[in-house]
Amino acid sequence: MSLPHAILTALLEKPSSGLELTRRFDRSIGYFWSATHQQIYRELGRLEEAGHIRALPSPVPVRGQRKEYEVLPAGSEELGAWVARSEDPKPMRAALLLRMRAAAVVGAAGLRAELNRHLALHREQLDEYLAIEVRDFPDERRHSEPDRLRHLVLRGGIEMERFWVEWLTGALAELGAE
């Protein structure tokens, strides 16, 4: 249910075409809620059909021209209701942890290399998040509530990456040399 709300959020921030949304997902929302190009276009159709968004009128109708979408009042109301709705946390799904559980049964061949690869990826992601924080959230830009909320989302990502870096480092130390 969250993909339509992620799209509504992105469109309220800035009316966009499907391609622009895909690019914006890759640079921001995609850090915590990913979607493929096809999923975004499929959801745009559903949102338009539900009366939550509309394609902005084109000055000159051209076949094959990209559509730019904006959120309608019904879409804003739906997003506001979703924000206010209560939702229980979802159980974590982590393929790496399942892989480790499987390794306990079938053997850990190649597991340390995969743990090291994940550690490198999480360190890289942490560095990227920290650079975004320095670039986008200097102290003077955290005064408005929207900026504080965006910064809190980023801080959540930073803390998750710090968790994985610490946990993977400890797991590799506990498993010892191969």
Side-chain angles (χ1 to χ4, degrees):
M1 186 66 172
S2 293
L3 179 57
H5 299 105
I7 291 171
L8 288 170
T9 299
L11 289 175
L12 279 169
E13 290 173 343
K14 180 180 184 248
S16 304
S17 68
L19 180 59
E20 289 169 326
L21 278 173
T22 301
R23 289 179 180 150
R24 288 175 56 210
F25 263 68
D26 289 345
R27 291 188 321 263
S28 61
I29 291 174
Y31 286 125
F32 54 90
W33 195 270
S34 63
T36 66
H37 189 74
Q38 292 83 5
Q39 289 171 315
I40 289 172
Y41 273 96
R42 195 168 37 247
E43 201 56 53
L44 284 169
R46 288 182 188 136
L47 288 167
E48 190 171 26
E49 195 173 287
H52 291 162
I53 65 170
R54 73 174 179 124
L56 292 170
S58 174
V60 180
V62 177
R63 189 165 192 231
Q65 181 178 349
R66 71 180 187 175
K67 293 181 187 177
E68 190 167 276
Y69 295 92
E70 71 174 354
V71 177
L72 295 171
S76 292
E77 289 173 21
E78 167 56 29
L79 188 59
W82 179 75
V83 166
R85 198 174 303 145
S86 178
E87 187 174 305
D88 293 339
K90 302 289 184 231
M92 181 175 74
R93 293 177 65 180
L96 181 62
L97 298 179
L98 179 58
R99 188 170 290 127
M100 291 177 74
R101 181 76 181 252
V105 178
V106 298
L111 184 62
R112 283 176 186 81
E114 184 65 354
L115 293 175
N116 276 305
R117 189 178 77 80
H118 276 253
L119 178 58
L121 291 170
H122 285 290
R123 282 180 174 152
E124 184 179 307
Q125 188 65 66
L126 176 58
D127 289 345
E128 186 174 341
Y129 285 165
L130 291 171
I132 291 170
E133 184 177 42
V134 167
R135 182 192 71 214
D136 293 350
F137 295 101
D139 288 337
E140 66 273 4
R141 289 226 19 231
R142 294 188 207 158
H143 296 295
S144 72
E145 184 175 29
D147 281 341
R148 286 193 306 271
L149 290 169
R150 288 182 191 105
H151 185 242
L152 284 168
V153 170
L154 179 61
R155 293 295 312 162
I158 289 169
E159 294 307 318
M160 287 298 298
E161 293 306 324
R162 283 185 173 148
F163 162 79
W164 281 111
V165 167
E166 183 180 331
W167 185 84
L168 286 161
T169 301
L172 284 162
E174 189 168 325
L175 291 173
E178 193 166 71

